Amino acid sequence: MNAKAGALPDINLEEFRKVVRSRRSIRRFKDEPVPKEVLDDCLELATLAPNSSNLQPWEFYVVKTPKLKTKLADACLGQNAAKTAPVLIAIVARPDTWRENARLALEEWPENKMPSIVDKYYRKIAPIHYNQGPFGVLGMAKKAAGLVVGLSRPVPRGPYSPNEMKIWATKSTALAAENLMLALRAHGYDSCPMEGFDECRVRKLLRLPRKGLVTMVLAVGKRAEDGVYNQQYRFDQSRFVHYL
C-alpha cells in the first residue's frame, strides 16, 4: 500500500449494507428542513466519487428557496417527490470544463513534487484527448487514426465527438450522484433521483451554463410514512452478472 495514503480505516460492512439496502427512491417527504451541515458533508462526499482523469466534470445546484423550488418542482412535471421535498438538487454534467479543470489539476497538486507523467498528461495528453476541435474535425481525425492504429494494438476509443464528450461527463457525474444519495442515507435522510423533467425549463430556471447537461434532479429530505410506494425487488442476478 502507498505509505502516503495512510492506514486504511476499519470498515463496518453491515453498516454499509444497511445504508445501501435502506436507500430507496422516496416519493413523499416530511415537511422538515435538511440542515446545511448535512448537505455540505454529503456534497463533499459526492465529489470524492471516482471520475475520469480527476477532471471532475460536474456541478450541483442546491435549491432551497421556496419560490424557486416550487417552479423547479413544476418543471419536474409536478412529481410528488419534487413537490414535497424540502431540497431539490440539480446534478449537472459539464463536458466543457475539462480544459479549465486540467489547469486546476496542475495548480492544485497536493504534493511538493508532481510526477513528470502527471505533468505531461495534463499539459500535453489531455488537450489532445478531450479536444474535439472546430465542428468536431479533430475528433473525427482522432477516430480515423484510432481505427488504423487499433488494428495492431489496443488504443483508447474516444471520446471522438461532442456527443461522446457528453457521455463521458455524464458517466462521472452519475457516480457522484450515487455517492450523494448514499451519503444522505448514511445521515438519515433520503432522496429520489428524477429523470422526468423539462430540461429546457430547468436550465432556464437555474440559469445553467449553455453546455451543462442536467443528469438528474434529486429530491432530498426525510421520508414520509407513505414515501415508499412499493416493495423493492430486482430480477434474478444471473441475468446481469457473468463470470468469465
Side-chain angles (χ1 to χ4, degrees):
M1 184 180 70
N2 187 344
K4 294 181 180 179
L8 288 173
D10 293 332
I11 301 296
N12 189 316
L13 175 60
E14 288 308 312
E15 289 302 311
F16 177 71
R17 197 187 307 276
K18 283 163 59 178
V19 168
V20 174
R21 291 191 178 279
S22 64
R23 187 221 58 81
R24 297 294 306 274
S25 294
I26 303 304
R27 308 297 176 174
R28 292 182 184 275
F29 294 89
K30 292 181 179 179
D31 185 18
E32 295 182 13
V34 181
K36 185 178 185 299
E37 57 269 25
V38 170
L39 288 172
D40 288 344
D41 186 55
C42 292
L43 288 163
E44 180 189 1
L45 292 171
T47 61
L48 294 180
N51 61 97
S52 181
S53 298
N54 198 31
L55 292 175
Q56 304 170 50
W58 49 49
E59 288 184 343
F60 304 86
Y61 291 78
V62 182
V63 179
K64 300 174 69 176
T65 307
K67 185 176 180 180
L68 181 58
K69 188 165 62 70
T70 297
K71 291 181 179 179
L72 183 55
D74 184 60
C76 291
L77 312 182
Q79 297 181 61
N80 285 331
K83 290 193 299 182
T84 60
V87 178
L88 296 175
I89 303 176
I91 303 176
V92 179
R94 293 298 304 272
D96 57 323
T97 58
W98 65 266
R99 194 186 304 275
E100 173 69 9
N101 290 358
R103 181 185 64 79
L104 288 174
L106 291 169
E107 292 181 358
E108 300 188 13
W109 182 255
E111 300 174 13
N112 292 331
K113 185 177 181 181
M114 175 179 289
S116 60
I117 189 172
V118 175
D119 183 83
K120 180 181 179 182
Y121 180 80
Y122 287 116
R123 292 187 191 278
K124 297 181 179 180
I125 297 177
I128 295 174
H129 186 63
Y130 296 109
N131 188 7
Q132 305 305 315
F135 306 106
V137 171
L138 180 56
M140 289 186 286
K142 290 188 293 182
K143 183 175 184 178
L147 289 173
V148 174
V149 176
L151 294 173
S152 58
R153 63 180 177 85
V155 297
R157 306 283 181 162
Y160 288 143
S161 69
N163 278 337
E164 289 183 15
M165 286 296 292
K166 293 178 182 179
I167 296 171
W168 166 82
T170 299
K171 287 191 291 185
S172 288
T173 303
L175 293 174
E178 179 68 5
N179 263 28
L180 177 55
M181 288 183 277
L182 293 178
L184 286 162
R185 183 81 285 276
H187 270 283
Y189 291 85
D190 290 286
S191 61
C192 181
M194 296 177 288
E195 289 186 296
F197 53 82
D198 185 327
E199 184 169 6
C200 291
R201 283 180 164 78
V202 172
R203 292 171 61 85
K204 184 176 180 180
L205 280 171
L206 304 184
R207 300 180 181 179
L208 299 182
R210 183 172 61 87
K211 293 186 178 181
L213 305 169
V214 186
T215 302
M216 65 188 75
V217 177
L218 191 68
V220 176
K222 284 275 190 180
R223 71 175 70 182
E225 291 187 5
D226 59 348
V228 177
Y229 282 2
N230 304 294
Q231 182 176 340
Q232 188 180 58
Y233 70 100
R234 291 293 185 267
F235 305 132
D236 189 273
Q237 193 165 317
S238 63
R239 294 177 59 89
F240 311 108
V241 180
H242 309 282
Y243 292 98
L244 305 177

